[in-house]
Amino acid sequence: MRKADSYTKNYQKLKQIAETMRDSDEPDIDGLVKMVGEATEAYKNCQARIEAVEKALGLNEK
């Protein structure tokens, strides 16, 4: 993950994509494929940041 990939930036991207999909009466299939790819990448980046914080706080130790 690049340093520029902040949690906030990726979360906002997920929100934007969700709103676009929700507000679309007839989704453009080609656009939908691109949006799903972007959403998947943003989700992975958010999850990685959450896991890094949990590790730093010692929350994921068993």
Side-chain angles (χ1 to χ4, degrees), residues 24-58:
S24 182
D25 291 334
E26 291 185 32
D28 170 31
I29 297 301
D30 295 323
L32 184 61
V33 170
K34 181 181 177 193
M35 283 190 288
V36 169
E38 290 175 357
T40 299
E41 186 67 25
Y43 173 80
K44 288 178 183 178
N45 289 333
C46 286
Q47 187 63 35
R49 295 297 300 145
I50 291 169
E51 289 172 2
V53 170
E54 287 176 341
K55 182 178 180 182
L57 296 174

Side-chain angles (χ1 to χ4, degrees), residues 13-33:
K13 183 69 173 178
L14 285 170
K15 279 180 55 175
Q16 174 194 22
I17 291 169
E19 289 172 7
T20 299
M21 292 174 80
R22 183 186 65 229
D23 295 341
S24 182
D25 291 334
E26 291 185 32
D28 170 31
I29 297 301
D30 295 323
L32 184 61
V33 170

